[in-house]
């Protein structure tokens, strides 16, 4: 700990600290819980943060801190600030590339506290000066935790009484659990997983290590399911639940120990999908070994789940920063949330990851893969109908203006390739309130209908793909600012995924559907990667990547051509496999390069329905 005699001395001490390190100013009269200081001074997600009597700045905020300190030095009265060693000048820095983590569908920032009363201490004055200059200062919500700078003996006694009456370790454990979670996670996992998180923290384990353990456990579960034996299915169900416990633990560990990282965000976002889809594949392999080919059901479940997600992502991005964002439907939803039992009922009906994995695990152990997939398809279909209907009602009753940012996000989520972009460049934009989603839907129906009802391998299906390309380009020729334009990306996803599924299933070629499963998995990874980049504020993947893998319309047309050229030939499976490998390699290499780079965003997953 370095002690400054006055504000000028504090400025000199701060200037002597290497530029890459986090620093902190703490008033020597500070009284508070250790966890309050931990929340205020060690969270790596914020360039600057403050609580009463304490202020911290990471490397990117250091120049602004020095300027603010210099400006306020003359105005500060008595009182000597100090630097906190654990969170300050003498500690190893938290890197600026670690602003957050995505360790679970709940790794979000703590809710911002209400504007605090004016803090007359030196750290408080500097924090105000930083905000006046335009540097955001995070003020963590402390709840029952004490953080105060008493001005007299009476205030000090009150602060000490509050300090002794609250167990900050109990508060720390409670706050490690995500505030808004599903019923199964809240009541069946979190009551004990938080203690596992603390155990991991005390042994120096990181959230990323727990995330990786969750992935490995799920892959072992998929391998057990692939044996096709009853013992394997029972073991798979148990291991899948263990994997989910670890999936909850990694986020709780990140919140408990404030170990947030961009790498964690990427790992969690991708591993959740990899675990679930690998388990689907394991079930399908096990079923085939038992004489029941359910690959089409497995691919259908994956397609439905991916389309559900893109509906959520697209709607949320369209309304992320909408102006006058109100509707009677939203008001009714808020009213229902005030009734306790409806909150849990509405969280369960959307079949979030906890309820979904519990259902999969139990049915895997007790029934057959076919029954598991039937239950998934029925449950996810009902959930999709419920959520999509609610979003449609909100969109139709909401008086909101879409922003340019929202329109760009929807365009990026559309994943239009060079063919659709070429059409959009020369075609006049569609006018009318609902013509854009109608054009996208018409194109999707033409494509899927031709794959379903025309003779397999017909060149008319290729002609339908040409119509799909044309309508896809028309749909994105103008900015997507209409009330229902957020439907365009999920319609495109459904068109591409379902077309691949149908053509592979109708091909009567051995292993065509497993190859299609691999192709959809690779493309879905690209679409999830796009979502998390947009949510992090860095925009979509680079244009060269989208052009290289063809865009949704290019890939759909290519699969239609392959089906026509390689009708009922084993080369169709080979072609689908080669396409899946090519897409996966290009997408994964670019994704890994981006997410381990310093430009990777801080991704927050609060509210994720996955």
């Amino acid at each position: 700990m370095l002690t400054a005699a006055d504000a000028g001395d504090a400025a000199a001490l701060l200037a002597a600290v290497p530029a890459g390190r986090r620093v902190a100013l703490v008033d020597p009269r500070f009284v508070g819980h250790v966890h309050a200081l931990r929340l205020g001074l060690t969270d790596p997600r914020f360039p600057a943060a403050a609580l009463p009597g304490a202020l911290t700045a990471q490397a990117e905020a250091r120049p602004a801190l020095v300027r603010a300190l210099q400006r306020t030095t003359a105005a500060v009265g008595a009182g000597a600030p100090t630097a906190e060693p654990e969170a300050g000048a003498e500690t190893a820095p938290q890197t600026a590339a670690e602003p957050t983590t995505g360790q679970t569908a709940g790794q979000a920032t703590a809710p911002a506290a209400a504007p605090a009363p004016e803090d007359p201490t030196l750290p408080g004055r500097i924090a105000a000066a930083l905000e006046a200059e335009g540097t955001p200062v995070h003020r963590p919500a402390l709840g029952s935790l004490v953080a105060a700078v008493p001005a007299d003996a009476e205030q000090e006694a009150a602060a000490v009484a509050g300090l002794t009456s609250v167990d900050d370790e109990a508060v720390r454990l409670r706050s490690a659990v995500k505030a808004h979670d599903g019923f199964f996670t809240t009541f069946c996992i979190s009551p004990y997983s938080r203690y596992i998180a603390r155990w991991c923290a005390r042994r120096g384990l990181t959230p990323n290590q727990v995330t990786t353990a969750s992935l490995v456990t799920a892959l072992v579960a998929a391998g057990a399911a692939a044996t096709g034996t009853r013992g394997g299915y029972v073991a798979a169900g148990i291991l899948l639940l263990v994997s989910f416990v670890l999936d909850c633990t990694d986020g709780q560990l990140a919140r408990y120990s404030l170990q947030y990282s961009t790498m964690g965000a990427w790992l969690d976002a991708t591993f959740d999908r990899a675990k679930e889809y690998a388990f689907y594949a394991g079930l399908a392999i096990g079923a085939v070994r038992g004489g029941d080919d359910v690959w089409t059901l497995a691919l259908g479940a994956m397609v439905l789940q991916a389309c559900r997600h893109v509906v959520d992502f697209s709607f949320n991005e369209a309304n992320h920063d909408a102006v006058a964002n109100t509707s009677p439907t939203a008001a009714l939803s808020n009213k229902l949330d005030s009734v306790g039992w409806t909150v849990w009922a509405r969280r369960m009906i959307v079949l979030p990851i906890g309820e979904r994995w519990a259902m999969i695990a139990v049915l895997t152990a007790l029934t057959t893969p076919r029954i598991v997939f039937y239950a998934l398809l029925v449950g996810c279909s009902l959930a999709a109908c419920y959520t999509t209907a609610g979003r449609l009602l909100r969109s139709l009753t909401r008086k909101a203006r879409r922003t340019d940012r929202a329109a760009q996000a929807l365009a990026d989520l559309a994943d239009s390739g060079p063919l659709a972009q070429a059409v959009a460049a020369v075609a006049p934009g569609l006018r009318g309130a609902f013509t854009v989603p109608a054009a996208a839907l018409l194109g999707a129906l033409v494509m899927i209908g031709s794959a379903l009802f025309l003779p397999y391998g017909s060149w008319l299906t290729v002609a339908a793909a040409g119509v799909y390309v044309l309508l896809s380009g028309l749909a994105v020729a103008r900015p997507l600012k209409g009330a229902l334009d957020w439907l365009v990306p999920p319609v495109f996803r459904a068109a591409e995924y379902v077309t691949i599924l149908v053509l592979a299933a109708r091909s009567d070629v051995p292993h065509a559907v497993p190859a299609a499963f691999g192709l959809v998995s690779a493309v879905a990874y690209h679409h999830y990667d796009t979502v998390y980049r947009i949510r992090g504020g860095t925009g979509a993947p680079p244009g060269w990547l989208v052009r290289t893998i063809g865009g949704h319309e290019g890939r759909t047309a290519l699969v239609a051509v392959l089906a026509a050229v390689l009708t009922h030939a084993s080369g169709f499976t080979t072609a689908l496999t080669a396409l899946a490998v090519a897409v996966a390699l290009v997408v994964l290499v670019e994704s890994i390069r981006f997410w381990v780079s310093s430009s990777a965003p801080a991704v927050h997953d609060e509210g994720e329905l996955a």
Side-chain angles (χ1 to χ4, degrees):
M1 176 181 293
L2 302 177
T3 303
D6 53 33
D9 192 18
L13 289 174
L14 290 178
V17 178
R21 293 192 175 189
R22 176 198 288 269
V23 295
L25 289 174
V26 182
D27 192 289
R29 299 164 295 172
F30 177 86
V31 176
H33 287 100
V34 173
H35 191 51
L37 278 176
R38 186 183 292 113
L39 289 172
L41 302 184
T42 67
D43 193 324
R45 295 171 294 178
F46 309 102
L51 64 159
L55 170 69
T56 185
Q58 297 204 70
E60 59 266 42
R62 286 276 303 276
L65 172 64
V66 171
R67 292 193 298 271
L69 183 59
Q70 292 171 344
R71 289 197 306 271
T72 57
T73 294
V76 175
T82 63
E84 178 69 18
E86 284 77 17
E90 295 302 299
T91 62
Q94 300 286 343
T95 64
E98 298 181 328
T100 190
T101 186
Q103 296 297 340
T104 64
Q107 287 313 321
T109 64
E118 182 179 352
D119 182 356
T121 65
L122 177 62
R125 291 170 182 258
I126 296 175
L130 283 172
E131 291 177 316
E133 185 183 277
T135 301
V137 177
H138 175 68
R139 301 179 187 274
L142 300 179
S144 59
L145 296 175
V146 174
V149 179
D152 52 39
E154 182 178 352
Q155 291 183 8
E156 182 175 5
V160 172
L163 191 65
T164 56
S165 65
V166 175
D167 183 352
D168 69 339
E169 177 61 19
V171 173
R172 188 181 182 189
L173 271 174
R174 287 197 303 271
S175 61
V177 177
K178 189 170 66 172
H180 303 289
D181 221 330
F183 181 90
F184 179 77
T185 304
T186 299
F187 294 103
C188 300
I189 304 296
S190 294
Y192 57 87
S193 61
R194 70 184 76 182
Y195 295 100
I196 301 175
R198 182 170 68 180
W199 182 90
C200 293
R202 291 177 175 177
R203 282 154 184 79
L205 297 176
T206 67
N208 291 349
Q209 290 171 334
V210 178
T211 302
T212 304
S214 176
L215 173 67
V216 172
T217 304
L219 294 179
V220 174
T227 63
T229 64
R230 177 51 52 195
Y233 290 147
V234 171
I238 294 173
L239 288 171
L240 189 64
L241 288 177
V242 172
S243 175
F244 183 66
V245 170
L246 293 174
D247 188 43
C248 295
T249 300
D250 62 3
Q252 292 165 358
L253 172 59
R255 284 186 289 270
Y256 180 85
S257 57
L258 298 178
Q259 296 183 71
Y260 300 104
S261 70
T262 299
M263 176 65 74
W266 175 64
L267 290 178
D268 191 70
T270 55
F271 282 7
D272 275 353
R273 303 286 75 76
K275 288 181 288 189
E276 187 166 4
Y277 299 158
F279 195 81
Y280 291 177
L283 283 174
I285 293 171
V288 170
R289 289 191 171 188
D292 187 15
D293 189 344
V294 296
W295 271 109
T296 300
L297 294 177
L299 180 50
M302 182 171 72
V303 167
L304 179 57
Q305 188 59 29
C307 290
R308 280 187 62 203
H309 282 152
V310 78
V311 166
D312 295 332
F313 295 141
S314 186
F315 177 81
N316 291 335
E317 287 303 323
N319 296 284
H320 181 269
D321 50 3
V323 180
N325 197 6
T326 60
S327 76
T329 308
L332 175 61
S333 177
N334 294 333
K335 186 176 181 179
L336 287 174
D337 281 343
S338 65
V339 182
W341 69 268
T342 65
V343 174
W344 296 115
R346 295 172 69 213
R347 290 183 189 177
M348 293 173 68
I349 198 173
V350 300
L351 206 63
I353 188 169
E355 278 74 1
R356 193 168 67 252
W357 281 32
M359 181 183 74
I360 294 171
V362 172
L363 291 179
T364 296
L366 300 179
T367 65
T368 66
R370 181 172 290 273
I371 293 176
V372 173
F373 288 125
Y374 281 155
L376 269 173
L377 289 168
V378 171
C380 290
S381 295
L382 292 175
C385 290
Y386 170 78
T387 55
T388 304
R391 282 156 172 67
L392 286 171
L393 286 173
R394 290 191 183 203
S395 299
L396 292 172
T397 58
R398 176 175 282 158
K399 304 296 183 182
R401 296 193 304 276
R402 309 296 182 202
T403 63
D404 291 338
R405 177 200 175 280
Q408 183 59 52
L410 292 179
D412 293 335
L413 288 173
D415 192 34
S416 299
L419 297 178
Q421 290 175 356
V423 173
V426 299
L430 298 174
R431 299 187 179 277
F434 308 117
T435 53
V436 167
L441 181 60
L442 178 60
L445 292 176
V446 168
M447 189 68 252
I448 296 173
S450 66
L452 273 171
F453 300 114
L454 290 176
Y456 175 77
S458 169
W459 283 95
L460 289 176
T461 304
V462 177
V467 174
Y468 176 65
V469 169
L470 177 62
L471 291 173
S472 297
L474 288 174
V476 296
R478 292 174 63 88
L480 299 175
K481 292 188 175 183
L484 296 181
D485 286 1
W486 59 270
L487 287 169
V488 171
V491 167
F492 287 164
R493 294 297 80 74
E496 179 181 4
Y497 297 167
V498 174
T499 297
I500 295 172
L501 165 62
V502 170
L503 291 177
R506 295 188 64 198
S507 67
D508 293 327
V509 176
H511 310 302
V513 178
F517 189 98
L519 175 57
V520 173
S521 297
V523 175
Y525 176 86
H526 163 62
H527 291 143
Y528 281 111
D529 184 55
T530 300
V531 165
Y532 282 96
R533 293 197 198 206
I534 292 172
R535 291 177 66 178
T538 59
W544 68 261
L545 176 66
V546 177
R547 291 191 296 272
T548 300
I549 61 176
H552 70 93
E553 80 291 349
R555 291 186 297 270
T556 304
L558 177 59
V559 172
V561 171
L562 292 174
V565 173
L566 303 171
T567 304
H568 303 302
S570 60
F572 186 55
T573 297
T574 303
L576 288 179
T577 303
L579 182 58
V581 171
V583 171
L585 283 176
V586 174
V587 168
L588 280 172
V589 168
E590 162 56 22
S591 178
I592 293 171
R593 181 210 64 78
F594 172 77
W595 285 100
V596 301
S597 71
S598 60
S599 61
V603 178
H604 301 277
D605 277 346
E606 190 71 33
E608 174 98 17
L609 295 176

